[in-house]
Amino acid sequence: MILGADGDLIGLWGHIKRTPIPDWARKFVEYEAKANAMHKYMAHSVPDLLQTEAYAREVLRQGQPWCTVEEIEEKVAARLSRQSLLRKPQPPLLWVVLDESVIRRPVGGSTGMREQLAYVLEAATAPNIEVQMLPFAAGAHSAMGGSLTLLSFENAPDVSYLEAGHSGELVEDRVVVARHSYRYDLVHARALPPEASAALIRRAMEEYETCAAPDLT
């Protein structure tokens, strides 16, 4: 059973119940807290676990314009609190493939994007974090339908998670999870190596510095 009743999970579950995580994402967050490896293809945005506070706030503000300022701040705090998973004594592996569109869209304007991309580059220096870019030049690929996460556990089967803007689907069926894993492997095979990926991110940062991308905040 993945969700064994150890002390870490009991403490996290108390936190989850108090934070504004949507119902469709709660089970995924439970699994995320127990994973020893996470493999992600992100089609539209930096993954929650690597977002700066400013980037998270802008993503939530634009995606949920009906929320009050107070509600947005609660959601930002809940999202940032999950990043503590990466700072545990034995943190999970986080391997991310970012679509190039993620770094080309100036969320929060040029200044905010430079800060976010710098944060991603810094995070990628950690021994448990890898970041690769899937460039536009890769063309059509197996995960064009949207973002995909695969979670692996020490003593339990893998699960996968498909995410859209305001919905998510947690998949536990082993056959379907294996298919999603194959899709991720195909995307990973098309991605740039880590050093070339970092160079592409740095070039994007330079363009935000020089190209007068408008700050829309």
Side-chain angles (χ1 to χ4, degrees):
M1 183 176 180
I2 294 174
L3 297 177
D6 56 51
D8 290 341
L9 180 58
I10 291 172
L12 178 67
W13 177 240
H15 176 70
I16 290 172
K17 291 195 294 182
R18 294 192 299 272
T19 54
I21 297 172
D23 291 342
W24 51 265
R26 288 195 176 209
K27 192 171 184 180
F28 166 73
V29 172
E30 295 173 42
Y31 281 125
E32 178 186 68
K34 301 299 292 181
N36 61 10
M38 309 179 195
H39 291 79
K40 293 176 174 282
Y41 164 69
M42 301 302 298
H44 307 296
S45 64
V46 173
D48 294 358
L49 296 180
L50 296 181
Q51 290 181 6
T52 64
E53 180 177 343
Y55 185 98
R57 181 176 293 109
E58 185 66 6
V59 167
L60 289 164
R61 187 174 71 86
Q62 294 294 339
Q64 302 180 45
W66 51 84
C67 289
T68 66
V69 172
E70 292 76 14
E71 288 170 335
I72 292 296
E73 291 306 309
E74 289 179 356
K75 294 175 186 293
V76 170
R79 179 165 297 185
L80 296 180
S81 70
R82 288 165 50 209
Q83 297 180 3
S84 63
L85 293 173
L86 300 178
R87 299 187 291 271
K88 296 192 302 184
Q90 293 183 318
L93 169 69
L94 176 62
W95 199 308
V96 179
V97 176
L98 295 177
D99 193 272
E100 187 173 348
S101 62
V102 173
I103 68 171
R104 297 301 182 186
R105 179 173 293 106
V107 175
S110 57
T111 299
M113 278 305 293
R114 286 196 303 273
E115 293 174 351
Q116 175 61 78
L117 296 181
Y119 187 79
V120 169
L121 288 176
E122 176 64 25
T125 64
N128 63 309
I129 300 176
E130 293 283 351
V131 176
Q132 291 181 257
M133 295 299 307
L134 183 69
F136 291 143
H141 58 84
S142 60
M144 293 181 68
S147 298
L148 168 65
T149 295
L150 297 163
L151 301 179
S152 300
F153 309 89
E154 184 173 355
N155 296 306
D158 293 359
V159 301
S160 59
Y161 185 68
L162 311 177
E163 187 174 3
H166 299 290
S167 64
E169 179 186 1
L170 184 70
V171 180
E172 299 174 89
D173 182 276
R174 295 191 183 194
V175 173
V176 181
V177 171
R179 291 173 181 170
H180 291 321
S181 180
Y182 181 42
R183 290 171 58 219
Y184 176 85
D185 288 344
L186 292 173
V187 168
H188 183 212
R190 288 175 173 265
L192 297 174
E195 290 186 3
S197 296
L200 180 58
I201 294 172
R202 286 193 292 269
R203 288 198 297 272
M205 291 176 65
E206 293 171 358
E207 291 169 8
Y208 284 122
E209 182 72 42
T210 61
C211 288
D215 283 311
L216 303 178
T217 56

